[in-house]
Amino acid sequence: MWTSVTVVPGDCRTETLLPAALIVFVGYTVFGVTLLVSLPRGATLFALGVFVCGYALYIMLHRGPRRPLGRAWAVPAGLLSGVLGALFGVGGPPYVVYIAGRIPDTTAQRATISLMVALNVGLRVAAFAIAGLFTGRDLWLAIGLLLPVAWAGVWTGNRVHMGMAPATLARIVGAVLFGSGASLIVRTL
């Protein structure tokens, strides 16, 4: 059962991961947490809805091969991931686009993205703790209870990902993201 998860730490491309991870932390601590405590909730939810819908359209409409991204793209991808992660808890799309644009091998992509998600969550916890936003015992209990659910999600996602054509998976993910973003926009109007 444990071997069903095909993400192998040795497949991770640290030369792509580390620059983005460091910049994500800066995005969290410098920009994201500051905006989180100062922006009105309705405006941030509306902005998230617009961002998610735009990203969903990008996923669903983009056809053909993607141009390889240069290493310098770690800076905007990392900052945007940090800000979005701190504001909305969804910093993934910018660094997933960056990693997918840097690493052509899908096994290495999955390994690098999985490690980036783990680092991202750890960085978010650290940034929020530094800002004094993690003080409740119930929050830590929820984190402990949800960790097995997160592992199950990675395991299930890997199984589904391995058995589905990438273009089909991208369209499904894009449609779900578009529906989620549209619901956020409608709720804030």
Side-chain angles (χ1 to χ4, degrees):
M1 176 177 179
W2 295 100
T3 58
S4 297
V5 177
T6 58
V7 173
V8 178
D11 290 331
C12 180
R13 303 287 167 83
T14 55
E15 71 278 2
T16 298
L17 174 74
L18 293 179
L22 294 172
I23 296 166
V24 166
F25 185 69
V26 171
Y28 275 135
T29 56
V30 176
F31 302 111
V33 174
T34 302
L35 292 172
L36 176 67
V37 297
S38 62
L39 288 177
R41 182 168 168 77
T44 56
L45 287 176
F46 182 80
L48 174 61
V50 170
F51 173 78
V52 169
C53 284
Y55 184 70
L57 289 172
Y58 169 78
I59 288 173
M60 292 187 299
L61 299 176
H62 188 79
R63 302 280 189 254
R66 301 183 198 287
R67 280 186 321 154
L69 293 178
R71 190 179 183 116
W73 280 100
V75 175
L79 286 174
L80 188 57
S81 289
V83 169
L84 293 173
L87 286 174
F88 311 117
V90 287
Y95 66 70
V96 167
V97 169
Y98 168 72
I99 290 169
R102 293 276 302 157
I103 303 171
D105 176 47
T106 57
T107 300
Q109 279 181 16
R110 278 195 315 275
T112 306
I113 289 168
S114 293
L115 186 54
M116 185 63 178
V117 168
L119 284 172
N120 194 333
V121 170
L123 292 172
R124 187 177 314 144
V125 168
F128 286 0
I130 290 168
L133 298 175
F134 280 169
T135 56
R137 186 184 63 151
D138 292 341
L139 177 63
W140 289 104
L141 179 63
I143 289 170
L145 291 173
L146 291 175
L147 282 176
V149 175
W151 181 86
V154 169
W155 182 82
T156 303
N158 251 321
R159 306 264 310 169
V160 168
H161 185 264
M162 296 299 290
M164 187 176 289
T168 302
L169 184 61
R171 283 191 290 277
I172 291 169
V173 168
V176 169
L177 283 173
F178 190 83
S180 299
S183 73
L184 284 173
I185 292 170
V186 168
R187 265 192 276 170
T188 60
L189 296 179

